Amino acid sequence: MKTTLSVIKADIGGYVGHSESHPDIIAAAAECLKKAKKDGLLIDCQATKCGDDLQLIMTHALGAGNYDIHKLAWDTFVTGTRLAKKMKLYGAGQDLLADAFAGNVRGMGPGLAEVEFEERTSEPILIFMADKTSAGAWNMPLYKMFADPFNTIGLVIAANMHNGYTFEVHDVKEHKKIRFNAPEEIYDMLVLIGAPSHFAVKAVYHRDTGETAAVSSTERLSLIAGKYVGKDDPVCIVRSQGIFPAVGEVLEPFAAPILVEGWMRGSHMGPLMPVALGDSTPSRFDGPPRVVCLGFQLNDGKLLGPRDMFADKSFDMAREQANEMADMMRRHGPFEPHRLPLEEMEYTTMPQVMAKLEGRFQPLDAKGNGRYHKLVKKT
Ligand code: F6R
Ligand code: MG
Ligand code: MG
């Protein structure tokens, strides 16, 4: 029997501000999922959080994109929103961009990662959840896990990994996708995935078997809504061990924090700090961005876990480094590269400011003074 793991998430209200989820909302969501499990729709489920995002972790036998599973997730978010409104939590219902469910949560605000597979003799799964950052934040970690031998020594010395992995890359602006084989096409691939606001790694496949190794959420809220409504706060599922990188190889990219898009008002670059679940409470300047990793052993679809993978002491240094990077970035205030470049600010107030100022711009000088002249070489 094939098992499907669906992780579907939405920010349906923050406590306090955008810093955390209220336990009553998580409890209400857990009740909704528990009922669906009792009714036989789900094999197993857990409701959890990352910062102000409600995370639904569900296993079932219905495949990815299933109507009933997506409706369950949507209805759970609607129930949570009702409670969030009653409690006057901040931004209640923020990520539910549609008025009613239309068959699939994709494109309606929530983020999702779903993967269907035949469970192996033992199936270790790692679920990454981020807050205060964008879809595309997984590009570098996934590249390191599945294509960088300096991170994943298994690529070099494990015979069942040596032929590499295939990356499915989505152009989130033009709605196109392309596949690259690693290692031989990594240079072409890096041209694209090095621009995570435009290209996002959607999935990774083991080349010898075609098995799905990783799936991530690539929904960009601002592109769906046409304005800034909150950050994507993406999730990512990674299968581990055997033909896939070991647990430690999957976690290793997060030991060296990188700068990602997000943080305050979704308009800044800041370090992605790996934290234990209890520390996913972005407070300083509404951040810095967080990543949590929950580990599970699947047992006939049942979720044995979670283990809070970044609670480990060996990530203390990464957290310290991330705090130092946060200080360094904050020093720039409203200046790039802390603030996002102009083209990424088009979903904020920037277009209105530019429209207001338009009539006030003057050519530098009609005579050309102040312009740059091409140097003509005398021959
Ligand atoms: C970041 C985020 C917050 C808000 C900020 C302003 O993803 O959601 O940084 O953008 O707190 O929120 P409003 O405009 O709702 O007061
Ligand atoms: Mg929020
Ligand atoms: Mg959030």
Side-chain angles (χ1 to χ4, degrees), residues 92-364:
Q94 175 188 290
D95 285 0
L96 304 189
L97 302 181
D99 293 330
F101 182 63
N104 192 305
V105 296
R106 196 180 296 282
M108 297 175 73
L112 67 151
E114 298 188 284
V115 56
E116 186 185 22
F117 51 82
E118 200 74 54
E119 221 178 88
R120 295 171 292 165
T121 316
S122 183
E123 188 66 62
I125 297 274
L126 296 164
I127 299 176
F128 292 94
M129 309 176 297
D131 191 32
K132 305 290 180 274
T133 187
S134 301
W138 309 121
N139 281 11
M140 200 202 290
L142 286 171
Y143 174 81
K144 284 186 167 178
M145 287 174 215
F146 293 99
D148 179 4
F150 281 77
N151 181 88
T152 300
I153 187 60
L155 296 166
V156 180
I157 61 177
N160 56 4
M161 294 172 66
H162 198 77
N163 284 338
Y165 294 85
T166 299
F167 286 69
E168 181 177 313
V169 175
H170 285 197
D171 179 334
V172 295
K173 295 202 170 160
E174 303 292 329
H175 305 286
K176 293 187 286 197
K177 61 182 176 183
I178 182 168
R179 283 187 179 213
F180 292 102
N181 282 331
E184 63 270 33
E185 294 185 301
I186 55 170
Y187 296 161
D188 286 348
M189 180 169 81
L190 283 168
V191 173
L192 304 190
I193 69 169
S197 62
H198 199 130
F199 295 95
V201 177
K202 178 70 196 173
V204 182
Y205 304 94
H206 183 250
R207 283 175 72 178
D208 290 340
T209 61
E211 284 280 317
T212 308
V215 178
S216 82
S217 64
T218 50
E219 289 70 32
R220 300 269 307 186
L221 271 175
S222 56
L223 296 179
I224 296 169
K227 59 177 191 235
Y228 180 72
V229 284
K231 223 47 194 171
D232 314 321
D233 301 339
V235 290
C236 182
I237 302 170
V238 181
R239 295 171 72 195
S240 175
Q241 304 290 155
I243 60 169
F244 305 122
V247 166
E249 290 168 330
V250 175
L251 299 178
E252 183 63 7
F254 300 94
I258 56 166
L259 293 171
V260 293
E261 194 183 286
W263 209 344
M264 176 57 80
R265 298 177 188 275
S267 304
H268 293 81
M269 296 300 292
L272 185 61
M273 183 191 281
V275 290
L277 190 65
D279 289 325
S280 66
T281 50
S283 313
R284 181 188 177 188
F285 199 58
D286 286 3
R290 305 292 151 110
V291 55
V292 161
C293 178
L294 298 184
F296 295 92
Q297 285 290 151
L298 282 196
N299 182 2
D300 295 329
K302 283 191 236 35
L303 293 156
L304 188 62
R307 276 222 55 238
D308 192 345
M309 306 309 287
F310 289 141
D312 191 86
K313 286 247 164 275
S314 56
F315 287 94
D316 283 353
M317 197 83 92
R319 291 186 265 273
E320 222 167 278
Q321 275 177 21
N323 271 326
E324 276 172 16
M325 289 161 78
D327 263 349
M328 193 261 272
M329 294 305 280
R330 284 297 301 124
R331 214 168 287 157
H332 296 81
F335 284 77
E336 299 175 12
H338 185 25
R339 201 199 66 188
L340 294 186
L342 275 187
E343 60 269 26
E344 291 301 324
M345 301 289 289
E346 61 188 292
Y347 300 101
T348 69
T349 180
M350 192 274 284
Q352 285 113 283
V353 174
M354 291 311 258
K356 191 179 77 183
L357 299 181
E358 204 183 351
R360 290 171 51 190
F361 278 107
Q362 309 235 328
L364 284 180

Side-chain angles (χ1 to χ4, degrees), residues 11 13-14 17-18 52-53 90 94 131-132 230 233:
D11 176 350
H18 293 276
D52 60 1
D53 292 274
Y90 195 69
Q94 175 188 290
D131 191 32
K132 305 290 180 274
D233 301 339

